Amino acid sequence: MHGLMARRYYCLRKVIVCVCTPCILLVLLFFYITIVVCLSMNNNATPGIVGKSSSHFIASGTYRNKSFSPFPKTFWELHWQGDAYWNRLQLAIDRNFNPILRPNNNVKRRFQNSKFHESLLWKSFSEVSDLDSKSGEFQKLPQQMQDFVSHMQRRDYPILNQPDGVCGAGAKGEKEPPLLLLAIKSTEFNFKSRQAIRQTWGQVGWIAGGKRNNSEGKESGGYVRRVFLIGKEDPQELGVDTTELLKLESKHYGDILQWDFKDTFFNLTLKDVLFWSWFTQFCNQIQFVFKGDDDVFVNSLNMIAFLQDQLDMPQAHKTLQDFMVGDVIGAALPSRVNKSKYFIPDSFYKGLYPMYAGGGGVLYSGLLVKRLHSISKRVHMFPIDDVYVGMCMYRLNAHPVHHPAFLTFDFPAKEEEAVCSYHRILLVHKRSPVQVVRLWADVKQTQRQCWDVPLRDGNKKKKKTLSATSQ
């Protein structure tokens, strides 16, 4: 009896071993694969739009150099999904800086070679355009997008009007390097807006700031210069030619910078690129730039004091290389509404936008302008100007800083009604020429009454996740 039970037990054990062993091995194998995958994801993962990472777009985890930018999964992925035109153009350039695909090339030297970058731009167009001409994709784009694509590779437009030998209009007897250049995007016909700015917040020369954040109570100030960035209108379309009037305006005020390209909404990006080039050549001493539209109101007194505070920061000379402050928008989606002026079809671009500062007005350092000029030669132009600046910032591994005193979407409800509301801001959008003149008079009249009012909380972390349609 005992022998029979022993034999049955022995047989049962063999059956259990034969059946369970493969299952146990499969479980162990699955567990092992899970651990390997998790470790791989942790090593290669990049943060969202707000963060930084050690993995770089040229070859994640293989080439570590702080001069290169990380690529968040929401933007500039190594493996593009779909066949969006801009994405393919940019990928054609990025491949040339991948040490795996180009193992025998000096990546750092190529990163700094300006002529090499320009040749890559043209080469990428020929590669991608040949494919599109065969598929007929170009003809499917909206007309304004076709117009943009047809000349988006060109960046060498002649200058029609420019300040006479200086970096914008300013004081002749400047006793120190200018603190700020006001670079304001305008059009030929917006004379009223330019004149309102000249008479109010856009005045040049020595401008005294406030005593804000100054423990010694000393008045801060700095020299300011001004330039208006303008393209060319088509006189046949509008029935009037303002060429001679603009020449007279340029001669009288010395603050017109005009290029010979068609002034359209999508060409606002071209104004940035050409301005960066001009600035690099003529504005070596400028410490900061305010780039904005001609329909904003700026409290330039606050801006001067704010910039002086930045210069007083510890190790300011290091932080100024990446200095950009404005109304920052993160994780914005391209507008797919075809009636919107911000409309970007998915056949042209796919993915989220990078973090960027709203184009109504933004502050950045003169050092950063020169870096943007250099990196822009490696980034294909994009129809939305502030988004394009964000793209270039990512390539520099730099990020704009949000400040609540930039109100590019106007005041929150009822906040504007407070007596000192305009003393708490750096910028508000959008205001007509008449409103700008009136607001400036009010700010000057209430200056003593609102002397100690602080800026809107600049330490409060405020993130925006907006669709580009709300701009």
Side-chain angles (χ1 to χ4, degrees), residues 101-140:
L101 300 177
R102 303 286 189 273
N104 298 322
N105 293 329
N106 187 325
V107 176
K108 185 175 182 180
R109 185 178 65 189
R110 298 177 75 167
F111 182 82
Q112 298 171 344
N113 191 328
S114 176
K115 292 184 178 179
F116 174 71
H117 298 163
E118 293 173 2
S119 68
L120 287 182
L121 287 172
W122 285 94
K123 183 180 178 182
S124 64
F125 272 103
S126 62
E127 292 177 3
V128 176
S129 296
D130 288 345
L131 296 174
D132 280 346
S133 62
K134 297 176 182 178
S135 63
E137 287 297 321
F138 180 78
Q139 285 73 21
K140 297 178 183 178

Side-chain angles (χ1 to χ4, degrees), residues 388-399:
Y388 179 75
V389 176
M391 292 175 170
C392 292
M393 288 288 284
Y394 255 107
R395 276 298 188 249
L396 292 174
N397 197 16
H399 306 285

Side-chain angles (χ1 to χ4, degrees), residues 20 50 81 90 103 113 151 154 181 273 276 331 413 460 464:
C20 294
V50 178
Q81 297 179 357
Q90 191 60 43
N113 191 328
H151 62 264
R154 185 180 172 186
L181 170 66
V273 171
W276 294 341
K460 181 180 179 181
K464 289 194 173 199

